[in-house]
Each structure stands twice: as C-alpha cells, then as structure tokens.
Amino acid sequence: MTRIGMGIVGAGFVGPHHIDAVRRLGFVDVVALACSSDESGREKAEALGVRKGYGSYQALLDDPDVHVVHNATPNHLHYEVTSAALAKGKHVVSDKPLAMTSAQAKRLVAEAQRAGVVAAVTFNYRGNPLVQQARIAIARGDIGPPHFLHGHYLQDWLLKDTDYSWRLDPEKGGPSSAVADIGTHWCDLAQHVSGLRITHVLGDITTVVKKRRKPTMSREAFQEASGDGELVDIGVEDLASVLVRFDNGARGSFSVGQVCGGHKNDLVLEVCGAKASLRWRQEDQNELWIGHRDRANEVLQKDPSLLDERVRGYARLPGGHQESWADAFLNVMREIYTCVAAGPPYPALSPVVATFEDGFRANRIVDAILESAADGGAWTRV
Ligand SMILES: NC(=O)c1ccc[n+]([C@@H]2O[C@H](COP(=O)([O-])OP(=O)(O)OC[C@H]3O[C@@H](n4cnc5c(N)ncnc54)[C@H](O)[C@@H]3O)[C@@H](O)[C@H]2O)c1
C-alpha cells in the first residue's frame, strides 16, 4: 500500500491525539505539523517526534509530502485553514465544529465537493464500538421506533472564574461556547445513533460565570489556571438546556455545560423506543444499558464476541480489556484513511465518519438554538 503523508495544523490539546491515532494505522506517516510561530512549530515537532515543524499553516500546505491536512486549530481558523487546504487539493480532517458559522460551513461543503477529495469532521464518539452496536440495534428495530432521546454532555473544567479558554471569546470560538463545543457532539451522536434528524429546537442558554480572569499567557484546553490576568466579561453561554424534535416526531432534551462540578467528560445518550431503551455513557463507554419493560434490564459489555458482526471490527481488544476515547478516535481515522488509500475516485465515507454535510448540519443546529434562546425560548426550525 502506498504510504500517506499526514500534516496537522494546531498541536494543542487535541492535535497530539490526531497524531497518535494516525500513527497507529501503520500506513500513514506524520510528516509535519504547523503552529503559530517558527519557534513553537520547532518545539512541538521535537516534542511529538514529527519530522518537520512549520511556523505557519501555509508552509505546511506547500509541502508536497502532506496529502491529508488535519485542522486542530481554534474555531476561528477552521474556515481559513480548511479552505486553503482544499484549494491545494489536500484531503481534510477538520476537528469540530466544521466552521465558526453556518455560512462558512456551507461554503466548505461546496469547496470540498469541488476539490473531489476526502473531507471529514471528527465527531469521534461515533467510533466507539458500543455506539455502533446501538446504531445497528436501532436500525434493525430492536427497540422499536424511537420516541424519546435524551441526555447531557457535562464537564467542569470551566467552573472557576480563573478558568479560561479561547472558547469563551466570540472572536475565536464563535457566538456559542458550550453548545458549539460539546452540544454539537451530543446532537451528532443522537442523530447518528437513531438515524433521525433534529428538525426543531427550543433553547434556554445562560452564562453562569459572568466574569473570568483571562490569563496573560495562552493556555491549552483543560490546563489548570494560574489565576493571573484581568477580569473580563463573558458573553457566551457555559450552560444550556434544549428541547428537541426529530423528523419522525420523536421528542428529546439535552443539557450541556462546562460548569458542572464532578462531571469530567460526561456525555450520555439514551434512546427510548416502543419496545425498549438503550443508554450509552462516554465515561463508562465499555457498557451499553438495555432497558426492558417486562424483564430484567441488561448491560452489554464491550466484547467482540457479543457484538454484531458489522461492529466487531471496531473493538480492538477482547472482552474485559477496556477501550477508550483514543480507540474510538482511531476507528474514525481508520475509516477516513481507508478512503484516502483507495485513491480517486474516492469512495463515500463510512457512516461512522461525519461528513462536511454533517458538520454543516451541526452548525445549523447551533444557530437555531441561539436563535430560539434569543427569542425567549421559541420553537425554532433548524
Ligand atoms: N473531537 C473532539 O473531541 C475535540 C476535543 C477537543 C477539541 N476539539 C476541537 O479541536 C480544536 C482545537 O481545540 P483544542 O482543545 O486542541 O485547543 P487548544 O487551544 O488546546 O489548541 C489549539 C492549538 O492551535 C494553535 N494555534 C493557534 N493559532 C494557530 C495558527 N495560526 N496556526 C497553527 N496553530 C495555531 C495553538 O497554539 C494551540 O496549540 C477546536 O476546534 C475544538 O473544538 C475537538
């Protein structure tokens, strides 16, 4: 198999996980990374064992050895970097959200189509074996038609007023913080697992921590605060609750927040159908809860021998060997790079991978939630 060259722009919190995942594929070379200065490019490349470290994304895009560009920059750079990569004919793996606004996301869908390359968004929870088991179970009718989808995505890393991230600056993160950052994961997961589409939303959003200490030095996501810096007003939400309606008439609700003590990466999705319910929780990701009316509830352990044969390949380890966030991320990367390796005309991405259209849909859901909240909580069409 021809080896594929990967280059990544942005090597903060999530960037190194992109690198780890593609390294495990075996047929991909991590050729280069790009940071915002020559110095940080050199330092990060050395720290992560990457051959070339560039000080600008343009230099990385000019490198002929880079075939696939991963965009792991803060949201305000997503459109610029992805658009430039597509214009150079590179495949793109964009971290979520696809873009800071729906208008930008829509343009990227068209630009990717014109470029004729592989273009994917990392809604990576799709790659978990038990998420796929739930998707297959619902598609084959195991729980009957879904009528209620609910859950949450709660974190606590922005609980203190000394916690700060570019996500809280609308110039860098966009008009939404919690909803765009983690609410998009919940919505993508709910739609992916159920096969349904969110058509209407009613959002209630709020900013719990209204003033924060903005550090003088930039910090990567989840890094502990030092408490220095000036006090700034925060205008974007850190907590939201949303009612949703799906295209089959199913109802739903979810809450998102980064100010919920004790919740680290607590993503939960439950789908209640006419016959039974299914629940998956990211923090206990090796278990799938199956709820029954007329018999005892069950917990399906992640064990390849117990999974549907279409799902088995996503479990890398035997039962009892816990799989993780990184393994699900790898599953998504494997699907993406399998398409790249197939060569032109590139086959359609597996449903396990979110497309740019899916990314655009996520941006539109965020818009509708913000619009609904601004209207005082009116039902709003996506
Ligand atoms: N899929 C997931 O589960 C997941 C998890 C975390 C973050 N993300 C997404 O990944 C993106 C990055 O988030 P993060 O948490 O890693 O942020 P981060 O702040 O930790 O890292 C961003 C990096 O980009 C670098 N950068 C800034 N400007 C740059 C430029 N002009 N050129 C090159 N690099 C530049 C920063 O120096 C920093 O190292 C965000 O869009 C976020 O939504 C996704």
Side-chain angles (χ1 to χ4, degrees):
M1 185 184 273
T2 329
R3 296 195 69 83
I4 299 167
M6 177 267 207
I8 184 159
V9 186
F13 164 65
V14 85
H17 297 287
H18 285 246
I19 291 175
D20 285 349
V22 302
R23 277 189 171 138
R24 289 172 68 193
L25 294 174
F27 59 96
V28 180
D29 295 318
V30 181
V31 170
L33 59 73
C35 295
S36 46
S37 71
D38 287 341
E39 195 193 352
S40 59
R42 248 193 327 270
E43 278 174 13
K44 286 275 181 177
E46 201 181 312
L48 296 166
V50 176
R51 254 191 294 142
K52 300 180 238 184
Y54 292 115
S56 77
Y57 74 82
Q58 291 90 345
L60 181 139
L61 298 186
D62 284 339
D63 187 329
D65 295 335
V66 173
H67 309 123
V68 185
V69 174
H70 289 233
N71 188 352
T73 57
N75 298 355
H76 69 112
L77 291 166
H78 282 198
Y79 176 77
E80 182 182 322
V81 172
T82 296
S83 177
L86 293 170
K88 292 257 179 195
K90 311 274 186 184
H91 308 285
V92 176
V93 179
S94 169
D95 220 310
K96 42 56 58 178
L98 175 58
M100 206 161 73
T101 66
S102 292
Q104 290 174 342
K106 188 177 181 181
R107 287 209 292 277
L108 288 178
V109 169
E111 288 171 27
Q113 266 163 8
R114 272 201 301 280
V117 293
V118 176
V121 183
T122 49
F123 281 119
N124 41 295
Y125 296 111
R126 293 186 182 199
N128 190 282
L130 289 179
V131 165
Q132 288 308 312
Q133 180 74 17
R135 182 173 74 88
I136 298 287
I138 291 171
R140 70 178 173 217
D142 286 11
I143 66 163
H147 53 248
F148 186 46
L149 293 90
H150 63 107
H152 60 244
Y153 196 162
L154 305 177
Q155 301 179 330
D156 67 2
W157 68 291
L158 293 176
L159 180 59
K160 300 178 187 172
D161 69 357
T162 46
D163 298 325
Y164 192 83
S165 164
W166 52 260
R167 290 162 174 81
L168 299 160
D169 174 357
E171 299 274 307
K172 294 197 168 142
S176 161
S177 180
V179 173
D181 197 42
I182 51 179
T184 50
H185 270 304
W186 191 92
C187 294
D188 181 78
L189 193 67
Q191 295 179 113
H192 175 65
V193 165
S194 65
L196 303 174
R197 291 283 165 263
I198 293 174
T199 58
H200 295 79
V201 294
L202 187 156
D204 179 32
I205 68 174
T206 188
T207 308
V208 175
V209 182
K210 293 187 169 51
K211 286 183 188 289
R212 291 179 183 269
R213 296 258 164 219
K214 182 177 177 182
T216 38
M217 296 276 287
S218 82
R219 269 201 320 264
E220 286 159 5
F222 298 101
Q223 273 185 348
E224 193 58 44
S226 58
D228 60 340
E230 58 165 330
L231 211 53
V232 294
D233 291 322
I234 302 296
V236 288
E237 85 287 351
D238 50 22
L239 185 70
S241 291
V242 185
L243 292 178
V244 285
R245 289 182 185 158
F246 291 85
D247 55 357
N248 73 335
R251 302 301 159 113
S253 66
F254 70 94
S255 292
V256 291
Q258 296 127 327
V259 289
C260 302
H263 296 270
K264 304 303 173 188
N265 197 37
D266 191 9
L267 167 60
V268 178
L269 172 69
E270 181 171 314
V271 185
C272 303
K275 294 194 273 187
S277 305
L278 291 176
R279 181 171 65 238
W280 182 77
R281 179 167 185 247
Q282 199 283 143
E283 290 188 357
D284 297 315
Q285 61 184 276
N286 289 271
E287 295 181 351
L288 182 67
W289 178 83
I290 309 166
H292 300 288
R293 154 80 182 259
D294 298 321
R295 58 188 168 97
N297 297 336
E298 300 166 88
V299 175
L300 173 66
Q301 307 283 339
K302 188 271 323 170
D303 178 336
S305 68
L306 302 177
L307 299 179
D308 186 281
E309 61 182 21
R310 288 162 287 179
V311 172
R312 216 161 279 160
Y314 297 116
R316 310 278 294 165
L317 294 162
H321 298 67
Q322 303 303 305
E323 294 193 38
S324 68
W325 188 98
D327 298 302
F329 206 84
L330 166 67
N331 283 334
V332 170
M333 292 303 160
R334 191 185 306 107
E335 294 289 7
I336 296 169
Y337 276 84
T338 300
C339 281
V340 174
Y346 299 99
L349 284 163
S350 142
V352 174
V353 183
T355 60
F356 273 25
E357 285 83 358
D358 296 326
F360 175 39
R361 163 162 287 278
N363 274 104
R364 282 186 291 145
I365 294 171
V366 174
D367 285 356
I369 293 169
L370 294 186
E371 200 183 314
S372 162
D375 275 358
W379 277 107
T380 304
R381 177 181 275 280
V382 173

